[in-house]
Amino acid sequence: SDDGRRLAYTTDVTGFRELTLYVKDLATGDVLPDRVEKVSSVAWAADGDVLFYVTEDHAKRAHRLWRHRLGAEADDLLYEETDELFRLHVWRSRSRAFLFAGSYSFTSTETRYLSAAHPDGVWQVMQPREKDHEYHVAHAGDRFYIRTNGDGLRNYRLVTAPVSDPGRVRWTEILPHREDVMLEDLDVFADFLVVHEREDGLTHLRVT
């Protein structure tokens, strides 16, 4: 948790990646009674009392997003991914300001976001899923940074969007698509970006 008081962790004692979520009080060493089965990913809200997690179905497809308040008897189901081609994942931005929940297929993505400081808020869709469009989101300051292969630009380009209105019509390009260079990944820091690029089969990092 942000205050360093609690540790959320998962363990598998079966060998089949059947993960159980636990929470430990680091001051006392006690494991809290909060426990969730079949968890695939987990992220803290900023207050240290709320966890978001995703659970798997019978086929081990991650598909349901939940909110858990420590000590609560029941959790809130926030979203269910009903398309069997997609898997769901929840994580916290490097900036710690936002939570993201991404739905992923082999060729398309869709991302929801929520302020980490407002865990009871409503998750918003950044850009609705589209056929053959994958996009990946990071955050810094008042902008989202989005790596996208929309419009058939298979090597990806980098755009930004205002946090206040991040839909596709507000995207501003900062790194164009290149036919000979794949934009593979992106790390966003407070004062600079690190882009992961692949050219002629070799991967390199570039600070911008």
Side-chain angles (χ1 to χ4, degrees):
S1 57
D2 287 21
D3 59 11
R5 292 174 51 203
R6 301 184 177 107
L7 173 69
Y9 64 97
T10 57
T11 63
D12 168 33
V13 296
T14 68
F16 293 99
R17 294 180 290 109
E18 295 179 351
L19 298 173
T20 300
L21 172 64
Y22 299 92
V23 179
K24 185 173 184 177
D25 186 318
L26 297 178
T28 66
D30 295 333
V31 176
L32 304 183
D34 307 76
R35 176 176 173 173
V36 186
E37 305 284 346
K38 295 185 177 181
V39 170
S40 62
S41 57
V42 60
W44 284 103
D47 64 3
D49 291 321
V50 174
L51 282 166
F52 294 91
Y53 64 89
V54 172
T55 54
E56 299 176 331
D57 63 11
H58 65 281
K60 296 190 67 61
R61 183 179 69 92
H63 73 310
R64 285 178 177 168
L65 173 66
W66 302 82
R67 177 177 54 219
H68 173 70
R69 188 170 295 278
L70 294 181
E73 294 184 0
D75 295 347
D76 302 309
L77 177 60
L78 304 176
Y79 175 69
E80 181 171 1
E81 179 53 71
T82 58
D83 189 331
E84 293 185 353
L85 295 178
F86 286 79
R87 291 177 175 269
L88 191 61
H89 183 76
V90 66
W91 72 99
R92 186 95 169 263
S93 66
R94 184 189 298 273
S95 68
R96 314 296 290 168
F98 282 91
L99 291 144
F100 295 122
S103 293
Y104 298 91
S105 75
F106 286 111
T107 59
S108 302
T109 61
E110 182 177 75
T111 301
R112 288 167 168 76
Y113 64 98
L114 177 73
S115 168
H118 300 93
D120 293 322
V122 177
W123 290 75
Q124 304 290 331
V125 176
M126 183 163 297
Q127 173 63 30
R129 68 189 64 178
E130 301 169 291
K131 179 178 172 57
D132 297 328
H133 180 201
E134 298 176 84
Y135 68 94
H136 308 274
V137 185
H139 168 260
D142 62 354
R143 312 290 294 180
F144 289 124
Y145 291 79
I146 304 163
R147 188 173 61 93
T148 168
N149 70 354
D151 300 319
L153 302 177
R154 63 177 185 173
N155 281 347
Y156 290 85
R157 64 190 180 112
L158 182 61
V159 302
T160 68
V163 166
S164 59
D165 183 11
R168 191 171 183 175
V169 296
R170 300 295 304 278
W171 291 4
T172 300
E173 183 176 273
I174 61 172
L175 186 61
H177 176 266
R178 291 159 292 173
E179 289 292 342
D180 57 342
V181 180
M182 165 71 84
L183 179 58
E184 289 194 321
D185 205 351
L186 173 72
D187 292 308
V188 180
F189 298 88
D191 300 318
F192 60 91
L193 310 174
V194 178
V195 292
H196 303 227
E197 299 174 331
R198 178 160 50 85
E199 185 176 9
D200 293 332
L202 300 176
T203 301
H204 60 269
L205 305 180
R206 183 162 62 88
V207 178
T208 182

